Amino acid sequence: MDKNYTKLVFTDSVKQAQERYGARDDNAHRETSGDRYQLTEKEIAYIQSRDSFYMATVGENGWPYVQFRGGSRGFLKAIDNTTIAYADFRGNRQYISTGNILASEKAALILMDYPSQQRLKIWAETKIIEAGDDTGLLQQLQMPDYEARIERLVIFDIQAYDWNCPKHITPRYTKQEVQGLDLSG
Ligand SMILES: Cc1cc2nc3c(=O)[nH]c(=O)nc-3n(C[C@H](O)[C@H](O)[C@H](O)COP(=O)(O)O)c2cc1C
């Protein structure tokens, strides 16, 4: 199946901009990269070792909204090679991302790994299931070390993904990562 990211983001306006700035030829070859939207073991391992990600959603008025999502390491889980999901806890009760997803299923995620200077972008059609409506999935997504009340399950049906280049990602370390560093050499 051919669902690579250029199909979603190389709109006519983007192609015109590439043309205008002399980058169209460099970008055209990316449009033929085929069916790489299915996650491989590499992406699954990367996703399941994150402790946070950024999620962009779109309101019905067209405004994008980006929110940071943080949790225990591994709270974003792969269900299969085209589906990832997390349990959404009760938070500040503004429900902006939730409302946006109800208005438009489209979401874009960015998953950072600062120590290894990597970032993975994901485009997904997103749905929300109330926590009580799928107890099997709820159990799969629950984090044993985090006791807050799960309100809903957020499920991403991945349409495309792309690894970005590491340039300009400053290595940063969590306290836990610093404690695990071998500084002897
Ligand atoms: C009691 C409480 C718990 C929260 N827990 C989390 C959390 O686990 N992860 C997180 O990223 N934000 C947490 N937040 C911050 C936001 O409430 C949360 O990100 C929320 O989902 C924001 O959604 P929205 O900006 O889409 O409305 C918490 C806030 C409160 C008040």
Side-chain angles (χ1 to χ4, degrees), residues 24-40:
R24 183 66 199 128
D25 290 346
D26 284 349
N27 281 294
H29 77 274
R30 297 198 167 102
E31 291 168 31
T32 58
S33 55
D35 63 355
R36 52 190 291 238
Y37 86 103
Q38 294 202 10
L39 303 173
T40 68

Side-chain angles (χ1 to χ4, degrees), residues 83-152:
T83 316
I84 60 176
Y86 71 96
D88 199 18
F89 298 104
R90 188 187 176 105
N92 64 6
R93 310 194 76 219
Q94 291 191 40
Y95 300 112
I96 302 172
S97 306
T98 301
N100 282 355
I101 291 165
L102 296 175
S104 162
E105 294 184 338
K106 293 183 174 69
L109 314 182
I110 189 155
L111 280 60
M112 299 297 302
D113 181 345
Y114 291 103
S116 66
Q117 294 173 287
Q118 294 185 87
R119 65 187 195 264
L120 177 64
K121 293 188 296 198
I122 293 175
W123 289 262
E125 285 175 5
T126 308
K127 72 176 178 207
I128 288 175
I129 297 180
E130 295 309 315
D133 289 350
D134 189 336
T135 45
L137 188 59
L138 173 65
Q139 276 172 3
Q140 208 177 332
L141 298 178
Q142 253 166 352
M143 298 303 285
D145 58 344
Y146 195 72
E147 285 187 0
R149 184 152 80 83
I150 296 172
E151 286 192 335
R152 71 198 65 75

Side-chain angles (χ1 to χ4, degrees), residues 63 73 142:
W63 278 98
R73 188 172 294 278
Q142 253 166 352

Side-chain angles (χ1 to χ4, degrees), residues 6-16 18:
T6 62
K7 297 260 185 318
L8 306 183
V9 294
F10 284 12
T11 57
D12 289 345
S13 312
V14 170
K15 288 180 188 170
Q16 279 165 23
Q18 291 169 351

